Amino acid sequence: MAALKYSRQREAIKHYLASTKEHPTADTVYMHVKKEFPNISLGTVYRNLNLLTDIGEAIKISTPDGGDRFDGTIQPHNHFLCTKCGRFLDLELDMKSIEEMNRLANDCFDGMITSSSTLFYGECSDCIRKS
């Protein structure tokens, strides 16, 4: 693979993903990066998010509503989606449990499983307090 040409816009997108725990959509990333680069297009943001995902510097999380969220934390972890407010959070689980789940799945699969991603659903503590 040829060396990737440096891009200030891509670096700004990567920095934003690394600095937030919000798991933004591409539109949210665009609105944030547009403050620094007023002429950036939404297409450029999408292309760079997909490139960062392809080279392992970001994670794309598909959601049930069809929108993708992006995460700058690339270490294996799982996520929680609040079904009331749509809040998207990291879920800290013991990685040994996840590795065991991957091993069990691999034992039942004619191939090789190298990773997994689980999205948990429910109500966040803010929504529970409000109801």
Side-chain angles (χ1 to χ4, degrees), residues 1-3 8 16 22 28 43-44 55 57 77 79 85-86 92 102 118-119 123 125 131:
M1 182 174 177
R8 290 181 341 147
Y16 175 64
E22 297 299 315
T28 302
T44 297
I55 63 175
E57 294 186 13
H77 64 287
H79 297 95
C85 70
E92 302 300 326
N102 288 344
T118 303
L119 181 57
E123 290 183 30
S125 57
S131 59

Side-chain angles (χ1 to χ4, degrees), residues 17-90:
L17 287 178
S19 69
T20 183
K21 294 290 185 189
E22 297 299 315
H23 304 83
T25 62
D27 289 338
T28 302
V29 173
Y30 169 70
M31 296 306 292
H32 181 81
V33 175
K34 191 169 179 61
K35 295 173 189 172
E36 185 178 349
F37 297 97
N39 294 328
I40 194 168
S41 71
L42 182 57
T44 297
V45 171
Y46 270 102
R47 279 190 298 280
N48 279 287
L49 286 169
N50 286 321
L51 177 62
L52 289 170
T53 300
D54 290 345
I55 63 175
E57 294 186 13
I59 297 171
K60 183 191 301 187
I61 308 151
S62 297
T63 62
D65 65 6
D68 292 328
R69 301 289 192 104
F70 294 88
D71 193 345
T73 303
I74 58 173
Q75 294 80 16
H77 64 287
N78 291 295
H79 297 95
F80 171 83
L81 176 62
C82 180
T83 54
K84 277 199 170 181
C85 70
R87 208 167 153 206
F88 206 91
L89 305 167
D90 286 335

